[in-house]
Amino acid sequence: MRRPAFIVIQLLLSIFATGMVQAESQKPNVLFVAIDDLNDWVGCFGGNPQVKTPNLDKLAAEGGLVMTNAYAPATVCCPSRSALLTGVHAHKTGVYGNKNNLKNAPKAKDLVTLPEYFSQHGYHALSMGKIFHKHPLPGDTGNKKSDAGQWAFDEYHKTLGGIGPASKKRPVNGLPNLPGEKVSYHYHAFDWGPTAENDETKMLDYRTASWAAEQLKTRDFDGKPFFMAIGISKPHLTWYVPQKYFDMYPLDEIVLPKTLATDLDDILDRNGKRIYSPSASWLRAEKYGKHKEAVQAYLATITFVDDCIGVLLDGLAGSKHADNTIVMLWGDHGWFLSEKQRYGKTQLWQESCRVPLMVKVPGVTPKNKQCMGLVNLIDMYPTLVELCGLPENSVNDGHSFAPLLRDPNMQWNHPTLTNGCLPGFYRVYDGRYSYISNRQRGAEELYDHRDDPMEWTNLIGNSEHDGIKSRLKAFVPKTDEPKSPENPD
Ligand SMILES: [Ca+2]
Ligand SMILES: [Ca+2]
């Protein structure tokens, strides 16, 4: 007769073995969350001390590692997203701008995108909201853009609904054009104001987040692991959100970002001519004294987005998938709020290159932790592939930062590359120095972030820094793929 202790040990061993088998067969799920045009104005990223983002901060408190040194592969939607979703940089695919559909780019059209790769390796890939940049297909007219990347998913859902601004007048913010300036007030315009109803649940992004929460709570995806990509479309312009979000940021308390009036004077082309001017939107806000209103509106829109993230993450937390789902949440590029005399993106300075990136790997990433490792969003593809035990995709340009997630204090400083919207326009950043090269214009910039985090003082003419420049320049691509075909106007 066996002794009771022996039976208990055998029982424990068999439970342990069963658990191991289940762990082998059940790969982790992925919740991949894109936020359009969100810069580092997130509480746990410290980009703006006034911003209210309790739900993103809660993600950090619950093990969402705060990657404080994350950079975009490009600084507008389409090239950034095309690069991070194919795993290949714009200078190799020719997808440099918003009009370059990667499906029309000879060097990109056959690349296996991240969701397709997961689908090919046993995952159920599903999506709602903006993940790929949208493009028109033949036959589309007006603003219709039928290619939203639906081809990359096993299951794709379009978000429907939303509410417009309270006022029918455009612009809602009443900001007049400058003399001679022609601006059409379409949905991308530099405009803001309260929505017709003070009800966030009717907003497009709220619906997307609610849909995702519902899928997480009610589905088991036929026993397959899932790759769920959820795209939040704000704080991309326009900043029309319910009044209650504006009320959270009283105008008289708004603190404006620090700027330098002469900042653009030291960026010169090969002929010594200044190459940058203030943007038209900045000039309008400057002339009519509307900087505080603009900052208030961006902050308000971020807090609305944060509420949507709360709905999404509460859905995950209340589901049976909570303990086996990796959350990777990112903004596609940064945004200027009057730094460098502009509103918007597209250039290669810190404010447009730096992005929020948070990664939660249940049981692995620590709570309330900032990680200083230097990463690029193009690294997300190989990182997820490694975390989920999929075979490496050899065409990926990025480096998997999975080791950094396991040990956030380790040294991790691959200099990071960001492409501009033209061939031959690059930024390389090594965690201290940023080097920007515009080959077409013959303009170069070098900044030391230890003393100059706002990149005010261009050191390129200072020969003391020639060694640093050469070192960073070695990471600039030697050749650039020409621009791929553009969508028709
Ligand atoms: Ca964007
Ligand atoms: Ca400057």
Side-chain angles (χ1 to χ4, degrees):
M1 197 175 142
R2 289 176 178 175
R3 285 171 295 168
F6 181 72
I7 294 170
V8 170
I9 289 167
Q10 275 215 319
L11 192 65
L12 284 172
L13 280 172
S14 88
I15 290 167
F16 183 63
T18 312
M20 291 293 281
V21 169
Q22 278 175 349
E24 287 278 327
S25 64
Q26 185 60 50
K27 286 185 176 294
N29 309 302
V30 177
L31 178 58
F32 191 65
V33 186
I35 306 181
D36 204 359
D37 289 21
L38 176 64
N39 66 9
D40 60 5
W41 289 17
V42 176
C44 52
F45 283 85
N48 182 301
Q50 295 189 302
V51 73
K52 295 178 173 73
T53 52
N55 292 294
L56 287 163
D57 299 346
K58 186 176 167 212
L59 174 60
E62 293 177 349
L65 190 62
V66 179
M67 311 295 291
T68 60
N69 242 337
Y71 294 86
T75 57
V76 282
C77 307
C78 179
S80 175
R81 290 165 185 251
S82 297
L84 70 91
L85 288 162
T86 60
V88 179
H89 272 297
H91 67 272
K92 294 187 184 174
T93 63
V95 180
Y96 292 103
N98 279 348
K99 288 189 167 186
N100 305 115
N101 185 345
L102 70 89
K103 281 298 175 197
N104 297 331
K107 296 284 173 69
K109 64 184 175 57
D110 297 323
L111 295 172
V112 181
T113 63
L114 180 59
E116 291 174 294
Y117 198 76
F118 270 75
S119 177
Q120 288 176 4
H121 290 87
Y123 275 69
H124 183 68
L126 71 164
S127 182
M128 187 183 261
K130 179 176 166 180
I131 297 297
F132 288 83
H133 192 67
K134 284 186 188 174
H135 298 279
L137 287 175
D140 282 349
T141 52
N143 274 334
K144 196 171 175 208
K145 292 177 178 173
S146 300
D147 179 0
Q150 58 273 37
W151 42 265
F153 299 97
D154 301 309
E155 189 184 328
Y156 175 83
H157 297 265
K158 195 174 174 184
T159 319
L160 297 171
I163 36 176
S167 169
K168 298 223 178 331
K169 187 182 73 170
R170 296 290 184 279
V172 175
N173 61 16
L175 199 52
N177 293 357
L178 297 169
E181 185 194 9
K182 282 187 187 153
V183 179
S184 62
Y185 284 95
H186 61 86
Y187 70 104
H188 277 175
F190 184 59
D191 195 14
W192 57 83
T195 47
E197 292 172 75
N198 197 17
D199 180 358
E200 74 278 15
T201 66
K202 294 182 178 171
M203 300 286 285
L204 200 74
D205 288 329
Y206 199 96
R207 288 180 179 225
T208 302
S210 303
W211 178 88
E214 193 61 22
Q215 307 313 302
L216 291 165
K217 284 191 272 195
T218 59
R219 294 178 63 180
D220 72 356
F221 307 100
D222 299 326
K224 279 185 169 186
F226 62 81
F227 180 96
M228 183 187 283
I230 298 300
I232 300 296
S233 64
K234 288 194 180 309
H236 194 297
L237 286 167
T238 53
W239 299 323
Y240 302 141
V241 290
Q243 180 65 46
K244 65 184 197 181
Y245 295 104
F246 286 89
D247 294 343
M248 292 180 191
Y249 299 98
L251 207 52
D252 58 357
E253 294 175 14
I254 296 289
V255 178
L256 296 176
K258 283 186 203 161
T259 61
L260 179 71
T262 56
D263 198 357
L264 301 173
D265 293 355
D266 58 357
I267 309 165
L268 308 173
D269 68 10
R270 60 171 65 83
N271 301 317
K273 191 167 172 280
R274 205 175 105 155
I275 65 171
Y276 292 107
S277 306
S279 73
S281 48
W282 184 86
L283 288 170
R284 264 183 268 149
E286 177 76 0
K287 180 171 180 181
Y288 296 101
K290 293 281 189 183
H291 292 303
K292 281 195 175 183
E293 281 85 345
V295 167
Q296 177 194 42
Y298 189 63
L299 289 167
T301 309
I302 290 171
T303 299
F304 159 70
V305 164
D306 183 77
D307 273 355
C308 298
I309 296 298
V311 169
L312 172 60
L313 295 180
D314 286 351
L316 176 62
S319 80
K320 64 179 176 184
H321 306 295
D323 295 335
N324 195 33
T325 299
I326 295 165
V327 179
M328 193 170 267
L329 178 148
W330 48 279
D332 58 352
H333 48 74
W335 230 81
F336 299 102
L337 275 294
S338 78
E339 301 92 346
K340 302 279 177 201
Q341 277 74 51
R342 64 198 57 239
Y343 287 91
K345 41 209 179 187
T346 74
Q347 301 302 340
L348 292 177
W349 298 300
Q350 178 77 349
E351 304 307 311
S352 55
C353 292
R354 188 183 183 213
V355 289
L357 170 65
M358 300 178 79
V359 188
K360 180 179 179 182
V361 185
V364 174
T365 44
K367 296 176 178 175
N368 283 318
K369 177 78 182 167
Q370 292 196 331
C371 172
M372 302 294 287
L374 188 59
V375 297
N376 190 292
L377 294 183
I378 208 161
D379 301 330
M380 294 195 294
Y381 192 145
T383 302
L384 286 170
V385 162
E386 183 180 342
L387 290 172
C388 295
L390 273 45
E392 214 172 287
N393 182 342
S394 61
V395 306
N396 281 177
D397 278 338
H399 307 271
S400 166
F401 56 82
L404 187 61
L405 299 173
R406 296 184 197 110
D407 179 7
N409 293 323
M410 72 187 291
Q411 281 291 312
W412 193 270
N413 51 3
H414 301 281
T416 188
L417 179 75
T418 303
N419 266 282
C421 290
L422 301 163
F425 187 24
Y426 300 105
R427 179 197 206 235
V428 176
Y429 181 58
D430 72 353
R432 175 166 170 187
Y433 294 99
S434 54
Y435 168 70
I436 300 171
S437 169
N438 184 332
R439 270 205 282 262
Q440 293 188 12
R441 301 291 298 270
E444 291 178 298
E445 296 161 67
L446 181 72
Y447 301 101
D448 182 351
H449 287 244
R450 192 186 62 181
D451 307 319
D452 183 19
M454 300 308 291
E455 298 179 322
W456 283 345
T457 306
N458 184 3
L459 301 170
I460 204 71
N462 183 336
S463 57
E464 273 176 39
H465 294 93
D466 284 354
I468 292 154
K469 174 187 148 179
S470 307
R471 180 170 60 76
L472 293 182
K473 203 171 177 173
F475 292 94
V476 167
K478 305 290 176 287
T479 56
D480 322 302
E481 185 63 23
K483 249 191 185 190
S484 65
E486 291 197 339
N487 300 329
D489 277 319

